[in-house]
Amino acid sequence: MSIEEIYNNVKVCKLEEKFSLKKLSDTVLEGNYPLEPFKEGARGTYGGEFVSQGLLAAWETVDDPDFSPHSFHSYFLKAGSIESVMRWEVTKTMEGRNYCNRLVHCYQQHNNQLCFILTASFTRNNSIQQRKLDYETNPGTKIPFEFQRSPQYFFEKYYDKLDDMQYFEHTNGNLQHIVPPEYFTGMPSDFLSQETGMRDIGFFVRVNDDISLAKDELKARLISMAFASDSFYLSLLVCSLGIPLSIEIFNFFRVSLDHTVYFHDTDFDPTKWLFLDYRFSRMSNDRVLCQCQVFNEKGTMVVSIVQEAIALIPKKYIDKAVGGSYKL
């Protein structure tokens, strides 16, 4: 089956099949399909493809079925190519009763180029709902205490209206986004009055797939979330500067350097609308730091993302920015 056939096959979970692997040994795996750029003709592999298959490669070497990833940290080293599949070499760095760790090196098959590295940590029972149920029946277990911050106001304002809002589809048809209209018309004055690094922005995202068709639903959900975790928010960097969104402002250079994801819980379905709530807290020396929280439909924070990227903002946008400076 080709990648095109995967996308047209209504009987499979697309991303599960797309990122599937074959084992060459206990710790060496190879993709069944080449990784893709985010659109035809784009340079390099889309970062979400690297992190998805890399996380799955690490997971495939974890024998305990009760373990799932709670975090991974990764670096993008080379662009990657659709010319060949990726080979994944996994090191079992730690085995514990409740946690284990894996280090993964990704090599392009046709030239043996090291493209990407990832370290992942796995834990037992990462479902807070299940832990609360366990505590109800057995108070002798660990107390499932939790707290969180709430999503910013765009979540409450638009979540119940999403069915009436227009979404756009991209990344080879695998992702869909809804962007609040304020990004096109101009952000309110209370947003612009905040420090640039304190401005919270956000949008809605879902994966265009059917996870009910997956052979392993938990893996499919987390791998799909990893796939979506590297998408689109760097494009809205200029919006945090108070510049309305347009097709033109997407045309600036940005590329991810690293990517970290924390799975706080497994209670989410990436094929339903999730809210990405984030800010660009620091930009300096052509690098910008993005910190993002992902909320499910109940407003529960289920995932956090941290990424640093190179971003070269054209002077014509900088001169329009509300906040920030480049002069002595």
Side-chain angles (χ1 to χ4, degrees):
M1 191 160 40
S2 67
I3 293 177
E4 188 65 31
E5 288 171 329
I6 293 172
Y7 290 154
N8 293 326
N9 191 334
V10 297
K11 296 182 179 180
V12 300
C13 175
K14 293 185 295 183
L15 294 188
E16 180 185 59
E17 177 62 28
K18 172 181 168 62
F19 296 123
S20 63
L21 297 152
K22 55 187 173 187
K23 273 197 169 185
L24 305 182
S25 73
D26 183 48
T27 56
V28 179
L29 304 96
E30 184 179 271
N32 287 317
Y33 307 95
L35 300 185
E36 295 182 282
F38 81 96
K39 66 178 181 179
E40 187 175 353
R43 177 183 178 272
T45 301
Y46 163 55
E49 303 238 339
F50 273 130
V51 299
S52 297
Q53 196 166 62
L55 182 61
L56 182 60
W59 203 341
E60 289 294 302
T61 69
V62 177
D63 296 327
D64 193 323
D66 292 332
F67 276 57
S68 65
H70 70 87
S71 69
F72 67 82
H73 306 257
S74 61
Y75 284 91
F76 304 105
L77 306 179
K78 294 292 182 180
S81 168
I82 201 169
E83 290 182 54
S84 65
V85 299
M86 298 296 176
R87 184 179 77 256
W88 302 89
E89 299 184 2
V90 183
T91 302
K92 298 182 179 182
T93 48
M94 192 273 281
E95 300 281 6
R97 189 174 71 175
N98 292 307
Y99 289 89
C100 69
N101 298 90
R102 298 291 185 265
L103 173 64
V104 185
H105 291 76
C106 171
Y107 296 89
Q108 186 86 57
Q109 188 70 298
H110 74 278
N111 60 8
N112 208 37
Q113 175 71 63
L114 178 63
C115 297
F116 174 74
I117 57 174
L118 175 146
T119 181
S121 184
F122 297 79
T123 189
R124 188 184 304 280
N125 189 8
N126 198 30
S127 167
I128 191 67
Q129 181 66 20
Q130 185 58 52
R131 290 191 61 195
K132 287 180 177 180
L133 290 171
D134 293 343
Y135 187 74
E136 284 291 315
T137 57
N138 183 9
T141 59
K142 293 179 181 177
I143 301 172
F145 178 67
E146 64 169 333
F147 63 87
Q148 68 163 66
R149 53 154 287 198
S150 297
Q152 52 121 313
Y153 72 99
F154 279 149
F155 175 84
E156 295 291 345
K157 184 175 182 179
Y158 290 115
Y159 200 91
D160 291 336
K161 303 175 183 177
L162 295 179
D163 288 342
D164 299 320
M165 298 176 71
Q166 185 175 6
Y167 67 83
F168 65 97
E169 193 170 280
H170 57 95
T171 314
N172 303 303
N174 292 311
L175 292 175
Q176 297 170 344
H177 281 97
I178 292 177
V179 178
E182 285 87 343
Y183 292 112
F184 299 94
T185 59
M187 299 298 280
S189 58
D190 58 345
F191 173 86
L192 297 176
S193 66
Q194 299 177 75
E195 286 184 289
T196 309
M198 293 291 289
R199 294 171 183 167
D200 290 326
I201 57 180
F203 58 85
F204 300 90
V205 62
R206 68 182 177 189
V207 175
N208 184 24
D209 203 354
D210 187 348
I211 286 179
S212 69
L213 299 173
K215 299 171 186 175
D216 188 321
E217 187 172 325
L218 178 61
K219 283 185 178 179
R221 281 195 285 117
L222 270 65
I223 295 306
S224 295
M225 183 67 248
F227 179 77
S229 70
D230 190 41
S231 172
F232 193 66
Y233 41 77
L234 285 176
S235 302
L236 297 185
L237 172 58
V238 291
C239 292
S240 71
L241 303 177
I243 301 172
L245 189 61
S246 67
I247 294 297
E248 181 189 4
I249 69 166
F250 287 126
N251 296 323
F252 69 93
F253 180 82
R254 69 267 187 193
V255 62
S256 305
L257 292 171
D258 61 5
H259 194 69
T260 296
V261 172
Y262 300 91
F263 297 101
H264 306 302
D265 194 11
T266 57
D267 182 20
F268 62 87
D269 181 349
T271 65
K272 295 181 179 179
W273 289 114
L274 300 170
F275 184 66
L276 271 65
D277 184 344
Y278 62 102
R279 65 176 57 170
F280 298 101
S281 56
R282 176 64 165 148
M283 182 162 188
S284 179
N285 296 309
D286 300 328
R287 300 189 312 277
V288 64
L289 181 67
C290 180
Q291 297 163 302
C292 173
Q293 283 76 45
V294 182
F295 295 85
N296 66 11
E297 71 277 9
K298 294 177 283 190
T300 302
M301 185 195 298
V302 290
V303 173
S304 290
I305 305 163
V306 180
Q307 184 177 86
E308 188 178 46
I310 297 173
L312 305 180
I313 304 175
K315 187 174 183 296
K316 63 181 179 179
Y317 300 143
I318 291 174
D319 288 340
K320 296 178 182 178
V322 181
S325 175
Y326 64 93
K327 297 179 180 179
L328 290 173

